[in-house]
Amino acid sequence: MTVRKSLRGILAGRALLIASLFVWPISAIAGQSVTQGVPLRNQNPFLQIFGLPPFQSANLAPDGETKYDLIVDLVSHADDGENTFEEVVVDGESYFLTLSLRRGVMHNLELGVDVPLVGHAGGFLDSAIENWHDLLGLSNAKRDGTRNQLGFRYSGNDDDLYELESSGFGIGDIQLTAALPLRGPSEGSDLALAVRSSIKLPTGEADELRGSGAFDFSLGLYASDKRTLWQRDLDVSGFAGVLLLGEGEVLADIQRSTVPYGGVAAAWWMTERLAITTQLYAQGEYFDSDLDEIGGSSLQFAVGFDYRLRNSGLSLLFSIVEDAAPSKTTTPDFGLHFSIRRSGGR
């Protein structure tokens, strides 16, 4: 265990050094801002430890320029299930603070790093979420237990295989990314195609659900385009890929080795600076379990706003995140996303 912690410390230190190399040229950013989608991941506490890439588009950082997101996610969990052999409880809140950097280098290459801080706690939002669901006519069937408590547990064949009931906050698993363009926007078309990949480093603590304890690798094909709807710009994106999981330390006996993923997004610009954004992000199963709460696929829906500040290159994103198929997926019950993005001015 000491050797593993030392390795994680070395990996985290080197990744943070790489991040610092991205930060220094940020003041020189210029160019046209491009909608990237809301940078969400599946934040089920048992799944967010793996290397699923955030939602991204095919538009890469131009050569010599850096784009960054400072991302805050607050996620509420309220789920449980059992059968003859298994039982799972996912109850609490998770908090994520992520610095995401992308820089264009060598004309046709984008490199990046995502550095997350991850925390789990009992939380404070249960009552507000119940009122929100009542307002929308959504079910609160999973929220009939004790409010604002933390309990992430999984047992199989009468053995407790994982349990987390104490709050904590610390660095998560850092991701290094790379992307190559296959087609860039041209004078006659806004269609862009790119290949994106990532390597996730085991820098987070598996026993605190801040990491999986293994390296993961992802590879995906991304497409983005710009259309018009009611004489206003409509940005659309879609992608599909596969995530290869290393042999981790969390529920390793039932962990799968490959997970397909894909998503679609649209941003409709009501004004020059304000857009309504919607997106869906789906993934396959991460664990061999008959319980949908941990062994099901996932479908995450987000809706929100993207506001671009004048003459600054900054945009503010806010989204509400819901489980699009609550009876059959591992997606968290409710989430809030806020990010500050810099990628040039419009």
Side-chain angles (χ1 to χ4, degrees), residues 291-309:
L291 298 176
D292 291 327
E293 292 80 7
I294 194 171
S297 58
S298 64
L299 184 61
Q300 186 180 45
F301 172 72
V303 60
F305 297 94
D306 185 349
Y307 180 73
R308 289 172 175 164
L309 302 178

Side-chain angles (χ1 to χ4, degrees), residues 18 62 70 86 98 125 137 142-143 162 182 293 296 315 333 343:
I18 293 172
L70 182 62
E86 301 174 282
T98 305
L125 283 177
K142 299 284 185 161
R143 292 185 170 272
Y162 195 95
L182 301 179
E293 292 80 7
S315 62
D333 185 54
S343 55

Side-chain angles (χ1 to χ4, degrees), residues 68-86:
Y68 71 85
D69 288 355
L70 182 62
I71 303 164
V72 177
D73 290 294
L74 189 160
V75 183
S76 178
H77 315 286
D79 223 342
D80 62 83
E82 62 180 327
N83 57 32
T84 304
F85 305 103
E86 301 174 282

Side-chain angles (χ1 to χ4, degrees), residues 59-120:
N59 296 294
L60 309 187
D63 183 33
E65 298 181 10
T66 302
K67 301 187 295 185
Y68 71 85
D69 288 355
L70 182 62
I71 303 164
V72 177
D73 290 294
L74 189 160
V75 183
S76 178
H77 315 286
D79 223 342
D80 62 83
E82 62 180 327
N83 57 32
T84 304
F85 305 103
E86 301 174 282
E87 182 178 4
V88 64
V89 175
V90 186
D91 187 11
E93 288 181 12
S94 298
Y95 314 100
F96 304 87
L97 175 63
T98 305
L99 175 62
S100 178
L101 303 169
R102 301 291 185 268
R103 181 166 176 81
V105 298
M106 299 172 59
H107 301 290
N108 288 311
L109 176 64
E110 179 193 87
L111 297 178
V113 60
D114 294 339
V115 182
L117 296 176
V118 180
H120 305 293

Side-chain angles (χ1 to χ4, degrees), residues 266-281:
W268 182 63
W269 291 91
M270 298 184 295
T271 71
E272 287 295 318
R273 304 198 172 275
L274 180 63
I276 297 175
T277 64
T278 61
Q279 65 186 48
L280 287 170
Y281 199 171

